[in-house]
Amino acid sequence: MMDVVQIQKILPHRYPFLLVDRVVEVEHGKAIEAYKNISISEPVFEGHFPGHPIYPGVMIIEGMAQAGGVLAFESMSGAEQDATENKVVYFMSIDKCKFRHPVRPGDKLVYKLNVLKHKGAIWVLDGKAYVDDKLVAEAELKAMIVDK
């Protein structure tokens, strides 16, 4: 388990763009489960949409990608992990993306990612997002760890 303070030691993102509140489980090199609590106080709800708040799909995908970044950094070996403060994860592609159900304030958005492929600095992840065990979004994400 990893709280937001520990997550901030790994990811460069900060409010309002840090989209992972807690990491529940990490299987190094294999999988991660994390979540974000969706609150009506999120700045994005001021414009998406007034009177009918829906959490944007792009934010769901970005949250998945951030969880994937935590997985990639946590999966590094000891010497590599020491150098993570000088590294950042770049998105390379998003494929097979589907949004299945809207996400609303009050929802707990659970990210579950599995490694499809990992070679060198490149990671390919199968990402799924759930609310109350209902699949709300899915995508195949490709990312690369690079020097800042």
Side-chain angles (χ1 to χ4, degrees):
M1 178 118 44
M2 192 180 298
D3 66 21
V4 74
V5 174
Q6 293 166 299
I7 293 165
Q8 287 179 320
K9 290 178 183 171
I10 297 167
L11 295 179
H13 306 80
R14 295 295 179 264
Y15 176 86
F17 213 66
L18 179 59
L19 305 178
V20 179
D21 289 337
R22 180 153 297 174
V23 173
V24 178
E25 185 177 359
V26 176
E27 281 184 76
H28 294 246
K30 293 183 180 176
I32 189 167
E33 182 176 332
Y35 68 82
K36 172 164 182 50
N37 291 309
I38 307 300
S39 169
I40 191 61
S41 63
E42 306 278 343
V44 73
F45 290 128
E46 289 179 37
H48 201 270
F49 299 102
H52 185 69
I54 302 289
Y55 194 65
V58 294
M59 302 294 277
I60 298 169
I61 299 302
E62 173 63 26
M64 271 193 237
Q66 289 181 18
V70 172
L71 172 61
F73 283 132
E74 283 295 295
S75 297
M76 291 178 165
S77 66
E80 289 176 312
Q81 214 170 43
D82 291 340
T84 58
E85 66 188 33
N86 299 316
K87 304 273 186 193
V88 68
V89 178
Y90 282 176
F91 245 152
M92 294 173 66
S93 68
I94 306 166
D95 293 310
K96 302 175 187 168
C97 184
K98 293 185 178 147
F99 300 104
R100 306 230 176 245
H101 295 281
V103 176
R104 303 179 191 283
D107 286 344
K108 179 179 179 180
L109 184 60
V110 177
Y111 307 119
K112 295 183 182 184
L113 292 96
N114 291 294
V115 175
L116 295 175
K117 189 175 179 184
H118 170 226
K119 186 170 185 176
I122 309 287
W123 291 79
V124 182
L125 305 166
D126 174 57
K128 291 187 171 40
Y130 299 86
V131 172
D132 297 329
D133 294 322
K134 180 189 279 189
L135 182 65
V136 296
E138 60 188 307
E140 188 174 292
L141 309 173
K142 185 187 280 188
M144 180 169 55
I145 298 175
V146 298
D147 292 329
K148 284 185 184 171

